[in-house]
Amino acid sequence: MTHTTPFPQGFLWGGATAANQLEGAYAEGGKGLSIQDVMPHGIMGAPTEEPTPDNLKLAGIDFYHRYAEDIALFAEMGFKTFRLSIAWSRIFPNGDEETPNEEGLAFYDRVFDECAKHGIEPLVTISHYETPLHLARTYDGWSDRRLIGFYERYVRTLFARYGSKVKYWLTFNEINSVLHAPLLSGGIWTPKDQLSTQNLYQACHHELVASALATKIGHEMMPEARIGCMVIAMPTYPLTPNPDDIIKVMKADHDNYFFTDIHARGVYPGYKLREFREAGIELDITDEDREILSHTVDFISFSYYMSICETADPARMAKGEGNIMGGVPNPTLPSSEWGWQIDPQGLRFILNQLWDRFGLPLFIVENGLGAKDQLVEVDGELTVLDDYRIDYLREHLIQIGEAVKDGVEVMGYTSWGPIDLVSASTAQMSKRYGFIYVDRNDDGTGTLARYRKKSFGWYADVIESNGASLSAAE
Ligand code: BGP
């Protein structure tokens, strides 16, 4: 029996990672420190003065030395694309130097060449929660306008060096998270509770200008390239039909769409200007900034893990567990072991919303289930029987198929953490997303050996059939 697929030809199937959660080798190859090297507890605790041995990210999963083996495993699953980030502090160790670090540049050459060997298209995040520490401590990260110039030098270096090897670029990971996690997302050293709204939005403005500048420069230097923004897409539902709840949802949507609106439309949206006016916020926005912002993205990429609810009723405002964006838990949905609510239909919903609003191609560049895994022996091989992960991914992929049938243009799908890596929010190893198990524990022990989980073969079938095997499984 043959099965049809809604997924278009050339759909970019793959997996997504970030340098700081993957590479390790935090002090090798001339790399400088990044904020992540002093964040042993993820977003849960304050940064430390120096790197400490309990920071699992210092060794990551040793991709720095094992990249060839790992990319070969991705190729075995049939990956069309591999999303990775470049560690800014490998290229400019302090962030504000005049000349880049050749050893850092050479490392990513090797990685991209390895991808090319397997016919895998790299999808590169230029800045993924890993601002050089020096920029955070000395300049207070993106609060300082000079960061735009440092970032410009960094992207020019990347485009000149890798322009012939990399076609797909994302300017900043989850740029809209800076409102909620200013250090992680914006390298802003001032503690969140001491940061004024005025300064926070000025930092957002600098990042938005830098992002548009990267798009402008990228188009000039690499006419074939496609450059996208990357946001957290978290559909917000009203907890009740009370109009007060609906307006609350509209405002939450505005906060989320603010970043995408500017990336896709090139101007500040009216709702934000009203908010600034009424709050007495006056941003330093130059005419040159306005011109730069008019350089809009080619596509919109996003992470999707969960939806949330909002309510205007203070008595019902319980905060959901585990997510950095806040929101109220949805009483109709189940949750992961880390309290992230599972809502496959929310993915179809947000794809339609984004498509209806912007009409730009969409790319799901993160989605997945963080879960505890148990290694077991089957037919003499160590593996993980992760049917829960297969179920989660299947349900979400089916909803992407529904959105495609609705007429939404979807470029591709990269699941988060195709190989187990260190969690961004909790800095744990035991929150695993991979098709490939990595033998490393929360206490830092383990051989770092790689094992194929049951989901490995399942995902290979999905890719091979361009999604047709999803309907076969129904
Ligand atoms: C996103 C980040 C990733 C990633 C993912 C999963 O917000 O872009 O870096 O880690 O979430 O989150 P966690 O690792 O906290 O489970």
PDB file of all heavy atoms in Angstrom, residues 28 96 153 189 279 383 472:
ATOM      1  N   GLU A  28      39.517  25.532  24.300  1.00  0.00           N
ATOM      2  CA  GLU A  28      40.448  25.054  23.258  1.00  0.00           C
ATOM      3  C   GLU A  28      40.334  25.892  22.002  1.00  0.00           C
ATOM      4  O   GLU A  28      39.328  26.552  21.773  1.00  0.00           O
ATOM      5  CB  GLU A  28      40.122  23.595  22.910  1.00  0.00           C
ATOM      6  CG  GLU A  28      40.669  22.602  23.907  1.00  0.00           C
ATOM      7  CD  GLU A  28      40.326  21.162  23.517  1.00  0.00           C
ATOM      8  OE1 GLU A  28      40.669  20.752  22.399  1.00  0.00           O
ATOM      9  OE2 GLU A  28      39.705  20.489  24.353  1.00  0.00           O
ATOM     10  N   ASP A  96      35.250  42.018  20.978  1.00  0.00           N
ATOM     11  CA  ASP A  96      35.506  43.381  20.480  1.00  0.00           C
ATOM     12  C   ASP A  96      36.867  43.519  19.795  1.00  0.00           C
ATOM     13  O   ASP A  96      37.353  44.628  19.600  1.00  0.00           O
ATOM     14  CB  ASP A  96      35.349  44.417  21.609  1.00  0.00           C
ATOM     15  CG  ASP A  96      36.278  44.164  22.787  1.00  0.00           C
ATOM     16  OD1 ASP A  96      37.067  43.186  22.747  1.00  0.00           O
ATOM     17  OD2 ASP A  96      36.217  44.949  23.756  1.00  0.00           O
ATOM     18  N   ARG A 153      30.960  43.183  12.606  1.00  0.00           N
ATOM     19  CA  ARG A 153      32.280  42.651  12.229  1.00  0.00           C
ATOM     20  C   ARG A 153      32.248  41.115  12.223  1.00  0.00           C
ATOM     21  O   ARG A 153      32.800  40.460  11.343  1.00  0.00           O
ATOM     22  CB  ARG A 153      33.332  43.164  13.216  1.00  0.00           C
ATOM     23  CG  ARG A 153      34.747  42.906  12.770  1.00  0.00           C
ATOM     24  CD  ARG A 153      35.760  43.440  13.765  1.00  0.00           C
ATOM     25  NE  ARG A 153      35.681  44.884  13.910  1.00  0.00           N
ATOM     26  CZ  ARG A 153      35.960  45.537  15.060  1.00  0.00           C
ATOM     27  NH1 ARG A 153      36.343  44.889  16.124  1.00  0.00           N
ATOM     28  NH2 ARG A 153      35.864  46.855  15.117  1.00  0.00           N
ATOM     29  N   TRP A 189      24.320  41.953  31.659  1.00  0.00           N
ATOM     30  CA  TRP A 189      24.888  41.534  32.939  1.00  0.00           C
ATOM     31  C   TRP A 189      24.104  42.096  34.127  1.00  0.00           C
ATOM     32  O   TRP A 189      24.039  41.490  35.190  1.00  0.00           O
ATOM     33  CB  TRP A 189      26.366  41.967  32.995  1.00  0.00           C
ATOM     34  CG  TRP A 189      27.165  41.182  33.968  1.00  0.00           C
ATOM     35  CD1 TRP A 189      27.697  41.638  35.139  1.00  0.00           C
ATOM     36  CD2 TRP A 189      27.535  39.792  33.874  1.00  0.00           C
ATOM     37  NE1 TRP A 189      28.372  40.616  35.778  1.00  0.00           N
ATOM     38  CE2 TRP A 189      28.280  39.474  35.018  1.00  0.00           C
ATOM     39  CE3 TRP A 189      27.293  38.780  32.936  1.00  0.00           C
ATOM     40  CZ2 TRP A 189      28.805  38.197  35.253  1.00  0.00           C
ATOM     41  CZ3 TRP A 189      27.809  37.507  33.178  1.00  0.00           C
ATOM     42  CH2 TRP A 189      28.548  37.235  34.314  1.00  0.00           C
ATOM     43  N   ALA A 279       4.114  54.600  28.748  1.00  0.00           N
ATOM     44  CA  ALA A 279       5.011  54.262  29.859  1.00  0.00           C
ATOM     45  C   ALA A 279       6.157  55.271  29.965  1.00  0.00           C
ATOM     46  O   ALA A 279       7.062  55.114  30.787  1.00  0.00           O
ATOM     47  CB  ALA A 279       5.577  52.853  29.658  1.00  0.00           C
ATOM     48  N   THR A 383      20.410   0.419  23.653  1.00  0.00           N
ATOM     49  CA  THR A 383      19.478   1.336  22.991  1.00  0.00           C
ATOM     50  C   THR A 383      18.520   1.927  24.028  1.00  0.00           C
ATOM     51  O   THR A 383      18.604   1.611  25.218  1.00  0.00           O
ATOM     52  CB  THR A 383      18.691   0.603  21.870  1.00  0.00           C
ATOM     53  OG1 THR A 383      17.910   1.561  21.153  1.00  0.00           O
ATOM     54  CG2 THR A 383      17.789  -0.482  22.416  1.00  0.00           C
ATOM     55  N   ALA A 472       1.121   6.200   7.410  1.00  0.00           N
ATOM     56  CA  ALA A 472       1.130   4.734   7.449  1.00  0.00           C
ATOM     57  C   ALA A 472       0.983   4.242   8.878  1.00  0.00           C
ATOM     58  O   ALA A 472       0.416   3.184   9.130  1.00  0.00           O
ATOM     59  CB  ALA A 472       2.423   4.217   6.850  1.00  0.00           C
TER      60      ALA A 472
END
